[in-house]
Amino acid sequence: MEETVEETRDVSGARGIPVPRGERPADAAVRYAQECHWDVVPGTRLVAGPGADSCSCGAARCPAPGAHPAAEDWQAQATGSAVVARRLWEGDPYASVLLPTGRTFDTLDVPESAGFLALARMERLEVGLGPVTWTPDRRVHFFVLPGAAPRLPELVRRLGWAPVAPDLVGHGEGDYVLGPPTRVGSHGAVQWVRKPTASNRWLPEAEELVGALAYACGR
């Protein structure tokens, strides 16, 4: 997992926003739309303040500061066009990057320890994997073909597990995941464990991953 070094500085047009070194969220969003053909939508952002960063939503106890939808109609705003994405982030290039699920991909989400255990096992077995992210709440998301989330309870049941036993969560239609380099409060930034590349653009079926993920969660 790549280490992210962050700093806070003023940026023209974005004063008071904590800025990560490296790629801006706006540039990442455009790249996801252009190169991966994923839908993207801007979310809230972090606002620098005395003591701690706060969320642009204004909630004093925001559960995901700078990392949730900024508008109720966020699903309608999502776009797969790089041109439109660039326009959406023009006014706020450090707004978080939300990736709607259930469109071009779903994700299977497991605890960090189970995720890395399963990942090592699947890589040894040369399982075809798609992109994988790590989030600051210590979860690992495996990108799979869309339609996986509603089938997940049955897939888990077929393996002999009670659907609620493994801490294995599907994100599908009507949901979203956070795209790197989105920051979540003071907890850090979402990072790629396996970056999207030309070699993993063809996503796996959920069935190819569920066995290893459920087993790792059970461990």
Side-chain angles (χ1 to χ4, degrees):
M1 185 172 57
E2 298 176 357
E3 184 178 355
T4 301
V5 179
E6 298 172 346
E7 66 178 0
T8 300
R9 66 175 184 270
D10 287 340
V11 178
S12 178
R15 184 170 297 276
I17 301 172
V19 179
R21 290 175 178 161
E23 188 173 38
R24 299 185 310 170
D27 299 327
V30 171
R31 183 166 54 82
Y32 297 149
Q34 188 168 27
E35 298 179 8
C36 303
H37 308 291
W38 293 342
D39 282 5
V40 296
V41 63
T44 54
R45 61 171 171 82
L46 288 176
V47 180
D53 300 335
S54 60
C55 184
S56 61
C57 72
R61 297 183 179 274
C62 178
H68 63 84
E72 291 186 5
D73 64 342
W74 64 270
Q75 293 188 65
Q77 293 181 15
T79 180
S81 164
V83 173
V84 176
R86 186 173 289 108
R87 188 181 309 134
L88 287 174
W89 268 268
E90 269 181 352
D92 197 348
Y94 295 97
S96 55
V97 180
L98 310 184
L99 305 175
T101 49
R103 302 186 182 194
T104 51
F105 63 84
D106 283 7
T107 72
L108 302 179
D109 162 16
V110 297
E112 174 186 78
S113 56
F116 287 118
L117 177 64
L119 180 62
R121 176 180 175 82
M122 289 188 285
E123 288 181 334
R124 284 197 304 271
L125 297 175
E126 298 184 348
V127 175
L129 292 166
V132 180
T133 61
W134 174 90
T135 59
D137 59 350
R138 298 190 179 279
R139 306 287 296 188
V140 178
H141 290 254
F142 292 77
F143 286 50
V144 295
L145 287 171
R151 295 187 291 113
L152 186 58
E154 178 59 26
L155 294 176
V156 171
R157 189 179 296 110
R158 288 180 192 171
L159 294 170
W161 297 92
V164 296
D167 189 1
L168 173 53
V169 179
H171 299 270
E173 186 175 359
D175 203 353
Y176 65 89
V177 294
L178 302 173
T182 295
R183 285 185 58 199
V184 185
S186 61
H187 303 294
V190 181
Q191 301 178 42
W192 289 114
V193 178
R194 289 174 57 93
K195 292 182 179 181
T197 65
S199 63
N200 65 17
R201 64 179 298 182
W202 305 110
L203 300 177
E205 293 278 2
E207 288 86 344
E208 299 174 46
L209 278 59
V210 167
L213 293 174
Y215 174 77
C217 286
R219 288 281 300 274

